[in-house]
């Protein structure tokens, strides 16, 4: 069979003219034989502070072995990753979402500057996964993904737990429901292993959707980080990238518009993090597809929600893996012809060929297509005069009594001010909390609101209080948490015009978010509104604020 691979590395390894480059490659220990082989970049997100990344050095070594076994020369370089949990509740959270584009840009620079023939991406956390997917589409050389894998669930008082349990425990302690000793016991058991946090939070959502997009092998999103089958998967990924190179199968051959629609469909079935509604549009943008978050509703209408994993339920990613993983979910969806099964994947086969024979091993973890948790998908995009361009809620994590709600607005202009008010007992059942000027520009950086949503749950207000924001939510948030309000307050969006006590109406089944104020009054407020001075005027955050777009477009960067 004729090799179709394009050896871009010839530009630094072949001929007399590249002798200087070869001398530098020999300085890192490469032999002449190694330089004749395709150079494969191993994009390692290993670091020693993020639990989802501390094991990636072992994954990278396994990948390198796989590449070398199948005729390539592996060379690693780093990608950064911020832990949202560690960044939560302080200025560090401003530096979370913004790293997605930094990761994408820096990987593009490294890969092209060093003429790599192929790439293996090893991500594992919230912005790290989509950032590398965006980079893969942009660089467009043969590429495969293998994540670091999810954490195992913890155990506390006979129940499985996770990071979200820990955040909610802080609120429960403040409410007098947990003692100091109980909080410490939970602290010692909530996160028992390395890996991305154990529920269907953002990292695991995006690792699962990487399989759906066709960029990762079976098990990429669900095999636990501490299982040896994760190491085996890494070796297989290393070997498989060489087959992709030989066939010249590149990311844009795989991540097509149909693959993006598949990702949105499985997103709805799995009940993924609302952050996926920032990342899927951003990935789509890199393949030249204009995707608005409102495009999700027609898919949600016809896609049943099959999984209630934490925080929506009491099951975890390790159980989804045992039940058959993402492939079993896709096989259920295929029974109703809800997927484009002709899409190409990194196996060299179509998605349909990959899921052939996949069996749902546990109908409680993965509901059969004819017995779903709900007939509609896990995420809903709400619009109305409060969010003309859309807002996002994880409806699979909303209790039934909050699916339709109205109440008085309680206005806060930061995560911290809201959390303090909840802990002080100043929020009443029925209230609709509004946190604004926390959007992509207003933050800047679109911080997650896990502290206030956890406090709401910890104080037992999850069945009576809603929270809306132009910021975003952790995948660990649950309840009537509506984020990504677009346009955001910083650009004069309607959320900036809400006043204390205004009635806000939420109707998730009808996809509506309305401010019960007359248009004449809103116009009066609009004329009185004035832009605020940027919160940050120096460094990367200041540059980001000038370039970032609204949440409904995935908070992509553009030059105005």
């Amino acid at each position: 069979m004729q090799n179709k691979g394009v050896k871009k590395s010839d530009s630094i390894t072949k001929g007399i003219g590249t002798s200087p480059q070869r001398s530098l490659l020999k300085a890192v220990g490469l032999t002449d034989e190694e330089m004749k082989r395709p150079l494969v970049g191993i994009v390692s997100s290993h670091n020693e502070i993020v639990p989802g990344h501390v094991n990636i050095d072992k994954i990278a070594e396994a990948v390198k072995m796989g590449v070398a076994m199948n005729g390539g020369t592996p060379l690693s370089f780093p990608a950064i990753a911020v832990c949202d949990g560690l960044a939560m509740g302080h200025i560090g959270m401003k530096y979370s979402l913004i790293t997605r584009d930094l990761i994408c840009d820096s990987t593009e620079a490294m890969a092209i500057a060093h003429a790599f023939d192929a790439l293996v991406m090893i991500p594992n956390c919230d912005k790290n996964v989509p950032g590398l997917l965006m980079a893969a589409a942009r660089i467009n050389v043969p590429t495969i993904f293998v994540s670091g894998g999810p954490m195992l669930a913890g155990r506390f008082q006979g129940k499985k737990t996770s990071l979200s349990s820990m955040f909610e425990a802080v609120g429960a302690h403040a409410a007098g429901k947990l003692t100091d000793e109980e909080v410490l016991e939970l602290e010692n058991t909530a996160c028992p292993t390395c890996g991305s946090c154990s529920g269907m939070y953002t990292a695991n959502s995006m690792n699962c959707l990487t399989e759906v997009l066709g960029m990762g092998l079976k098990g990429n999103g669900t095999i636990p980080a501490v299982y040896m089958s994760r190491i085996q998967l890494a070796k297989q990924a290393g070997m498989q990238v060489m087959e992709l190179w030989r066939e010249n199968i590149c990311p844009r051959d795989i991540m097509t518009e149909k693959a993006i629609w598949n990702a949105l469909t499985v997103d709805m079935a799995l009940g993924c993090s609302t952050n996926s509604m920032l990342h899927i549009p951003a990935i789509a943008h890199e393949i030249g597809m204009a995707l608005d978050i409102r495009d999700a509703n027609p898919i949600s209408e016809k896609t049943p929600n099959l999984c209630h994993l934490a925080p929506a339920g009491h099951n975890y990613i390790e159980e989804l893996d045992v039940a058959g993983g993402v492939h079993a979910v896709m096989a259920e969806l295929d029974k109703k012809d809800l997927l484009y099964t002709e899409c190409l994947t990194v196996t060299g086969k179509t998605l349909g060929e990959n899921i052939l024979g996949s069996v749902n091993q546990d109908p409680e973890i993965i509901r059969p297509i004819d017995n779903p948790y709900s007939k509609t998908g896990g995420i809903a995009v709400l619009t109305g005069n409060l969010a003309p361009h859309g807002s996002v809620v994880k409806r699979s994590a909303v209790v039934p009594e909050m699916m339709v709600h109205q109440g008085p607005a309680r206005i806060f202009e930061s995560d911290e001010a809201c959390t303090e008010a909840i802990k002080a007992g100043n929020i009443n059942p029925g209230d609709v909390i509004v946190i604004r000027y926390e959007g992509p520009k207003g933050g800047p950086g679109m911080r997650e609101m896990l502290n206030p949503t956890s406090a709401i749950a910890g104080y037992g207000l999850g069945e009576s209080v809603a929270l809306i924001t132009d910021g975003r939510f952790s995948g660990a948030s649950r309840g009537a948490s509506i984020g990504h309000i677009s346009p955001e307050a910083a650009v004069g969006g309607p959320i900036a015009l809400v006043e204390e006590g205004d009635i806000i109406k939420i109707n998730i089944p009808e996809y509506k978010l309305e401010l019960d104020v007359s248009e004449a009054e809103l116009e009066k407020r609009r004329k009185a509104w004035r832009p605020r001075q940027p919160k940050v005027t120096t460094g990367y955050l200041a540059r980001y604020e000038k370039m970032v777009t609204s949440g409904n477009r995935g908070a992509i960067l553009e030059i105005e």
Side-chain angles (χ1 to χ4, degrees):
M1 183 173 64
Q2 186 175 2
N3 178 26
K4 302 174 186 176
V6 178
K7 195 167 182 293
K8 294 178 180 289
S9 61
D10 282 351
S11 61
I12 61 171
T13 61
K14 190 173 183 180
I16 292 295
T18 65
S19 293
Q21 286 89 344
R22 286 199 301 276
S23 71
L24 291 170
L25 291 173
K26 288 179 178 179
V28 301
L30 292 192
T31 64
D32 289 326
E33 177 56 38
E34 285 174 304
M35 284 185 275
K36 290 175 185 176
R37 299 175 181 176
L39 301 186
V40 181
I42 312 302
V43 188
S44 171
S45 304
H46 173 252
N47 63 55
E48 294 184 344
I49 191 166
V50 183
H53 294 249
V54 72
N55 66 317
I56 281 179
D57 55 343
K58 297 176 179 62
I59 302 292
E61 288 304 313
V63 167
K64 290 164 74 173
M65 183 177 293
V67 168
M69 285 193 295
N70 205 11
T73 297
L75 296 162
S76 66
F77 64 88
I80 65 168
V82 163
C83 176
D84 281 23
L86 291 173
M88 197 70 65
H90 60 96
I91 191 173
M93 181 45 70
K94 293 180 184 288
Y95 285 88
S96 171
L97 180 59
I98 71 173
T99 64
R100 184 189 69 185
D101 298 274
L102 200 57
I103 289 161
C104 178
D105 292 347
S106 59
T107 303
E108 172 195 357
M110 286 293 290
I112 295 176
H114 301 113
F116 282 107
D117 298 299
L119 297 167
V120 181
M121 307 290 198
I122 315 177
N124 213 30
C125 279
D126 295 30
K127 315 308 165 306
N128 183 250
V129 183
L132 291 179
L133 284 165
M134 291 161 65
R138 189 183 297 178
I139 300 161
N140 204 39
V141 299
T143 302
I144 196 168
F145 277 65
V146 56
S147 77
M151 182 185 293
L152 295 177
R155 287 191 177 274
F156 174 69
Q157 296 181 347
K159 296 180 180 179
K160 286 191 173 182
T161 59
S162 62
L163 181 65
S164 58
S165 311
M166 197 66 248
F167 275 95
E168 290 179 12
V170 175
H173 175 269
K177 297 178 181 179
L178 285 177
T179 65
D180 290 358
E181 292 75 19
E182 286 172 322
V183 171
L184 178 61
E185 182 186 348
L186 180 56
E187 176 186 324
N188 290 336
T189 58
C191 300
T193 74
C194 64
S196 48
C197 295
S198 55
M200 188 53 81
Y201 311 143
T202 307
N204 292 327
S205 294
M206 295 310 302
N207 281 329
C208 287
L209 295 182
T210 297
E211 283 188 53
V212 183
L213 286 167
M215 293 300 296
L217 298 174
K218 180 179 181 180
N220 177 72
T222 58
I223 297 172
V226 294
Y227 286 9
M228 283 300 102
S229 48
R230 174 63 57 179
I231 297 296
Q232 293 166 341
L233 185 73
K235 292 176 184 176
Q236 290 163 356
M239 290 187 282
Q240 185 59 25
V241 78
M242 295 309 302
E243 299 303 323
L244 294 173
W245 178 79
R246 291 184 182 104
E247 292 298 315
N248 195 30
I249 297 174
C250 296
R252 281 183 229 156
D253 300 320
I254 295 170
M255 288 194 285
T256 61
E257 289 196 11
K258 288 183 177 179
I260 294 291
W261 295 126
N262 282 344
L264 278 172
T265 299
V266 179
D267 187 334
M268 298 301 165
L270 285 172
C272 290
S273 163
T274 52
N275 280 313
S276 65
M277 299 306 294
L278 286 172
H279 303 322
I280 294 175
I283 296 163
H285 176 73
E286 293 295 340
I287 68 166
M289 177 184 178
L291 181 68
D292 191 288
I293 59 172
R294 289 169 291 188
D295 295 331
N297 281 345
I299 292 177
S300 183
E301 279 295 317
K302 65 181 182 181
T303 307
N305 178 226
L306 305 181
C307 299
H308 265 195
L309 302 168
H314 301 290
N315 302 121
Y316 293 84
I317 299 295
E318 62 195 76
E319 290 157 305
L320 176 61
D321 186 61
V322 174
V326 178
H327 277 53
V329 174
M330 290 193 286
E332 287 291 343
L333 294 172
D334 189 42
K335 292 176 182 178
K336 297 285 188 181
D337 296 320
L338 293 173
L339 297 173
Y340 294 102
T341 55
E342 69 272 24
C343 289
L344 184 64
T345 73
V346 289
T347 64
K349 300 176 181 178
T350 66
L351 184 145
E353 290 174 307
N354 288 347
I355 65 175
L356 194 64
S358 292
V359 177
N360 181 354
Q361 302 285 355
D362 190 334
E364 287 304 311
I365 305 299
I366 305 171
R367 286 284 185 88
I369 193 78
D370 292 322
N371 182 33
Y373 282 102
S374 65
K375 293 181 179 179
T376 52
I379 288 177
V381 175
L382 314 184
T383 55
N385 68 347
L386 190 49
H389 298 164
S391 60
V392 180
V393 62
K394 187 172 183 175
R395 65 175 158 193
S396 60
V398 179
V399 294
E401 46 267 60
M402 291 299 292
M403 296 296 279
V404 177
H405 178 77
Q406 70 176 49
R410 304 295 307 279
I411 308 297
F412 301 94
E413 301 194 350
S414 73
D415 170 326
E416 293 85 351
C418 176
T419 303
E420 287 176 14
I422 297 168
K423 290 181 177 179
N426 294 332
I427 300 299
N428 304 309
D431 286 348
V432 179
I433 296 170
V434 178
I435 304 178
R436 61 191 180 189
Y437 293 97
E438 287 282 15
K441 285 184 178 293
M446 204 177 186
R447 291 197 293 174
E448 289 184 345
M449 303 294 142
L450 182 57
N451 278 344
T453 59
S454 297
I456 289 169
Y459 274 79
L461 295 170
E463 296 179 359
S464 61
V465 170
L467 190 158
I468 71 170
T469 180
D470 52 9
R472 60 194 179 90
F473 295 106
S474 164
S477 291
R478 59 189 175 97
S481 304
I482 303 167
H484 310 194
I485 302 272
S486 301
E488 63 174 293
V491 299
I495 191 173
L497 311 179
V498 184
E499 295 183 357
E500 187 84 8
D502 285 348
I503 298 300
I504 293 174
K505 296 180 176 180
I506 299 164
N507 191 321
I508 295 173
E510 294 185 6
Y511 304 110
K512 291 181 180 179
L513 180 62
E514 297 281 348
L515 180 63
D516 192 16
V517 173
S518 70
E519 185 53 42
E521 174 62 20
L522 284 176
E523 184 58 30
K524 178 182 174 182
R525 296 180 188 181
R526 194 173 288 115
K527 288 178 179 177
W529 179 83
R530 295 291 181 271
R532 301 192 174 191
Q533 291 298 314
K535 295 177 184 175
V536 181
T537 57
T538 60
Y540 181 46
L541 278 171
R543 295 198 301 276
Y544 182 86
E545 184 270 332
K546 288 180 171 63
M547 296 179 67
V548 69
T549 61
S550 183
N552 70 300
R553 297 184 57 209
I556 60 172
L557 301 186
E558 283 187 344
I559 299 172
E560 294 183 358

